[in-house]
Every structure is written in structure tokens, then in C-alpha cells.
Amino acid sequence: MRTHVVDHPLVAHKLTHLRDEHTDSPTFRRLADELVTLLAYEATRDVRVAPYDIVTPVAPTTGVSLATPKPLVVPILRAGLGMLDGMMRLLPTAEVGFLGMVRNEDTLEASTYAERLPDDLSGRQCYVLDPMLATGGTLAAAIKFLTDRGADHITAICLLAAPEGCARLEKELEGLDVPVTVVTAAMDEHLNDKGYIVPGLGDAGDRLYGVVG
């Protein structure tokens, strides 16, 4: 597994305002959208392309176009939905699948409650959207779900990550014969006793959409 922390002043600027407890939900959504587009630029460096012949106003030439099958973008519900528009702005021709996962707050284990994905993902590059790589259980379960269906290249885009989550992810994916990359805006200090990232930004889903229930 490879972890890439994007070191860019605009990323740091937007992340700072995401963290601020005084940032309201509409502003949080806008900043998250902008930040994801910046992270997606780095995350798609290995996107598969194929030669593509065109004619410019001056002469014929060969460029590249996204290869077939198209990349699959997979937001993890619900918070991952807040990252989808920013990702699709950069990859508008990608296909989108959905994976609903919930973390048990007592055991911190993740379980799947809904999915809308092709049964066969053979040869597919998948981009998983999950705002917080905290304990690592949800993302590990999502990656295994996708690779069990044949996905052969996984890139996870996270706003924040914790060292404990990265360590667990690497351990749980040990022996997986599929390249996995995590792209994040920052590697934070640690997890608290409730499994939240410190200093973090709180509950990403609640800050995106408000508290439900």
C-alpha cells in the first residue's frame, strides 16, 4: 500500500477552513468539493489511458483518451457523497457506483448495508471516496468488497487520515495482489478513545449534511 499526502498550499488552506468548528455546512460542502478536486488531480496520475488519434486545425496527431473500461468512482455512503461532485468534475466520463457501509461505534467494525455496483469489476480501476481514514475498518472492508468482485487497481481519496488507520489498512490488505494507494490532504496526529481523528474536523457526515436522528 502506498500513502500520498498532498503537499500544496491551496490544499492546506482549504483544509484549515474545513477544520474550523465555525465553518457552516454550506461552506463546508463547498470547501470539501474544491479540496476533492485538488486531491483527485494527484490521485489520477495513474489513470489508464489509450492512444487517441485526432486532427488539430494544423495537422493530425495522436493524444490519449481514458481507456476502456472506464474508471469507477465509488463514494462510501453517506459522507462520501459529499466528495462525488469534486471527483466527477475531473473525471466526468467515469462511471459511479455506491457502497453503503456503517461503523459500529462500540466495536468500530464496518458492515455493508447497501451497494449499487457491477457484479464483475474485472479490469476496473476504482476510486473510493471516504472523507476520514480513522480506524481503517470501513475503508479496508470497502477495498476487499471491490477486489472480491475483480477490481485490479484501487485508489482511495480521503480528506484526512490517522496513522492508526493507515497501519490497520496496510495490515488487513497484506497479501492482496492489487495495488492500493491512499491520497489524503493530511496525516493527523492520532485517534482519540472514540475513534475520531485528532485534531481532525469532527464528523464529516454531520458537518456536510447536518445531524440526523
Side-chain angles (χ1 to χ4, degrees), residues 141-207:
I143 290 172
K144 289 177 181 177
F145 191 99
L146 296 172
T147 55
D148 284 347
R149 292 200 176 183
D152 66 357
H153 190 281
I154 305 286
T155 300
I157 301 176
C158 306
L159 302 180
L160 289 179
E164 296 94 329
C166 288
R168 177 178 176 181
L169 188 61
E170 192 157 10
K171 181 179 180 181
E172 294 206 13
L173 299 180
E174 189 175 359
L176 184 68
D177 191 25
V178 170
V180 174
T181 300
V182 173
V183 177
T184 184
M187 183 69 67
D188 273 11
E189 297 172 8
H190 60 87
L191 298 179
N192 65 16
D193 57 2
K194 294 183 179 179
Y196 279 80
I197 298 175
V198 179
L201 49 76
D203 185 295
D206 287 350
R207 297 199 65 190

Side-chain angles (χ1 to χ4, degrees), residues 61-213:
T61 189
T62 300
V64 298
S65 183
L66 291 181
T68 302
K70 295 176 181 178
L72 182 68
V73 178
V74 184
I76 298 179
L77 306 178
R78 71 176 167 140
L81 281 176
M83 303 172 68
L84 183 57
D85 286 348
M87 184 71 185
M88 297 307 291
R89 186 173 296 110
L90 204 66
L91 276 179
T93 60
E95 296 179 351
V96 180
F98 297 94
L99 191 55
M101 308 198 81
V102 63
R103 186 179 74 165
N104 185 301
E105 295 301 328
D106 294 322
T107 66
L108 303 183
E109 296 296 323
S111 60
T112 304
Y113 67 85
E115 60 94 0
R116 185 70 173 176
L117 292 162
D119 292 332
D120 185 5
L121 294 175
S122 299
R124 299 295 291 266
Q125 278 186 300
C126 293
Y127 292 88
V128 182
L129 308 181
D130 190 14
M132 312 296 282
L133 174 46
T135 65
T138 299
L139 189 54
I143 290 172
K144 289 177 181 177
F145 191 99
L146 296 172
T147 55
D148 284 347
R149 292 200 176 183
D152 66 357
H153 190 281
I154 305 286
T155 300
I157 301 176
C158 306
L159 302 180
L160 289 179
E164 296 94 329
C166 288
R168 177 178 176 181
L169 188 61
E170 192 157 10
K171 181 179 180 181
E172 294 206 13
L173 299 180
E174 189 175 359
L176 184 68
D177 191 25
V178 170
V180 174
T181 300
V182 173
V183 177
T184 184
M187 183 69 67
D188 273 11
E189 297 172 8
H190 60 87
L191 298 179
N192 65 16
D193 57 2
K194 294 183 179 179
Y196 279 80
I197 298 175
V198 179
L201 49 76
D203 185 295
D206 287 350
R207 297 199 65 190
L208 282 163
Y209 304 117
V211 179
V212 177

Side-chain angles (χ1 to χ4, degrees), residues 15-72:
L15 180 58
T16 297
H17 291 280
L18 273 180
R19 293 186 190 274
D20 190 341
E21 66 178 356
H22 299 296
T23 298
D24 59 22
S25 287
T27 306
F28 191 96
R29 286 194 294 270
R30 176 179 58 80
L31 287 168
D33 180 77
E34 295 169 354
L35 180 55
V36 170
T37 300
L38 293 173
L39 296 178
Y41 179 80
E42 292 293 331
T44 52
R45 285 187 178 275
D46 295 324
V47 69
R48 293 169 183 158
V49 295
Y52 188 76
D53 294 328
I54 61 169
V55 178
T56 78
V58 179
T61 189
T62 300
V64 298
S65 183
L66 291 181
T68 302
K70 295 176 181 178
L72 182 68

